């Protein structure tokens, strides 16, 4: 979406995503991590299915104000929309229909019982003196699902993969949790969960000496920019405490990722929980690691590990 409507819509939810607001969720996120990984010591599991995928879904569902009893339903829709491993629906319009029906009821419930949830903020927000239509509100919820879940899942899974390839990294963060935020920034750069995005040229222009015609579809490669040798020393190496890490994994400019503080917090809490509760982990070589089938999002659909 372009200005001016973009800023008006973004403002509706931006307050809920400031680092200050997000930080308050840390204890809840930790509890969710605990619920998912409690009693998994010594077990072999698909970490995507059991941990890195359900965690961000539970977080965003909580922010939206989805009651606990409906979490399972919400996860099924989310998986169907973003094409996750539990694809139960073959047609997207069926899912959207079901979600619409669900949110219609939820909206009525929230109107009668106001709370601080995102659903409540969105349905009561006004743009140019008018409330959003049902489809616009639903679009918002779907956007948050699509933009925020698989990406954060991939950040955490990519971190586990990258740490396992770099012996000593996991022990180092277990020994000093202060290393986690910087290590995660380096994962964002080194294995960017969003590798590419789309843009359409609004006017005839020129980029890097190449003429671009109005209406052309462009694909800026975030993953490539994040390994630019003219910006990063040893760009092809994972350096746990890289200084000056000016990656663009969350984009740039007016569309800069709304959920960046949330994704960072989720990844930090997830890693802290793991490092505190598991001495080590091992990616199982005898199980196939299945990558996401996409040129946009980058990560694993399935990754089996043993937690020790
Ligand atoms: C590691 C996790 C994440 C990564 C790598 C990521 C990456 C990105 C990128 C690259 C963009 C820019 C897209 C563009 O310029 O076209 C973006 C935008 C966006 N992201 Fe994220 N994201 C992550 C997590 C989240 C989360 C957790 C949420 C919300 C719950 C979220 C919500 C959004 C939204 C709403 C936009 C659009 C912003 C706008 O157009 O103004 N993202 N994200």
């Amino acid at each position: 979406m372009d200005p001016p409507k973009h800023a008006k819509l973004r403002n509706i939810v931006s307050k809920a995503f400031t680092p200050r607001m997000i930080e308050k969720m840390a204890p809840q996120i930790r509890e969710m991590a605990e619920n998912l990984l409690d009693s998994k010591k010594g077990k072999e599991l698909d970490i995507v299915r059991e941990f890195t995928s359900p965690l961000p879904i539970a977080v965003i569902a909580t922010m939206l104000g989805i009651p606990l009893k409906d979490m399972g339903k919400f996860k099924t829709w989310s998986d169907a929309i973003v094409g996750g491993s539990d694809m139960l629906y073959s047609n997207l319009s069926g899912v959207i229909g079901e979600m619409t029906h669900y949110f219609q009821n939820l909206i009525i419930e929230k109107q009668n019982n106001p709370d601080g949830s995102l659903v409540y903020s969105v349905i009561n927000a006004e743009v140019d003196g008018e409330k959003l239509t049902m489809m616009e509100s639903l679009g918002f919820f779907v956007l948050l699902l699509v933009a925020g879940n698989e990406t954060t899942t991939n950040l955490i899974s990519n971190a586990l993969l990258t740490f396992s390839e770099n012996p000593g990294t996991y022990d180092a963060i277990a020994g000093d949790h202060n290393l986690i935020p910087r290590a995660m920034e380096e994962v964002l750069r080194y294995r960017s969960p969003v590798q590419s995005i789309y843009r359409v040229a609004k006017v005839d222009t020129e980029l890097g000496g190449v003429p671009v015609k109005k209406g052309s579809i462009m694909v800026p490669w975030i993953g490539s920019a994040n390994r630019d040798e003219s910006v990063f020393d040893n760009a092809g190496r994972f350096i746990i405490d890289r200084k000056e890490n000016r990656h663009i994994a969350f984009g740039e400019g007016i569309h800069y990722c709304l959920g960046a503080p949330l994704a960072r917090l989720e990844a930090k809490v997830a890693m802290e929980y793991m490092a505190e509760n598991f001495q080590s982990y091992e990616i199982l070589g005898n199980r196939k690691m299945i990558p996401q089938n996409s040129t946009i999002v980058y990560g694993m659909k399935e990754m089996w590990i043993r937690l020790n």
Side-chain angles (χ1 to χ4, degrees), residues 108-120:
I108 296 168
E109 202 183 301
K110 300 272 177 209
Q111 292 285 30
N112 297 329
N113 303 292
D115 58 14
S117 68
L118 273 177
V119 167
Y120 185 76

Side-chain angles (χ1 to χ4, degrees), residues 6 10 17 60 143 147-148 151-152 155 188 193-194 197 199 222 249-251 254-255 257-259 262-263:
H6 167 257
R10 188 171 164 125
F17 285 93
I60 196 68
L143 170 68
T151 46
T152 311
L155 171 57
L188 280 160
V194 176
I197 45 174
R199 286 293 186 269
I222 289 176
F250 289 117
I254 61 165
H255 295 287
C257 179
L258 177 78
L262 179 60

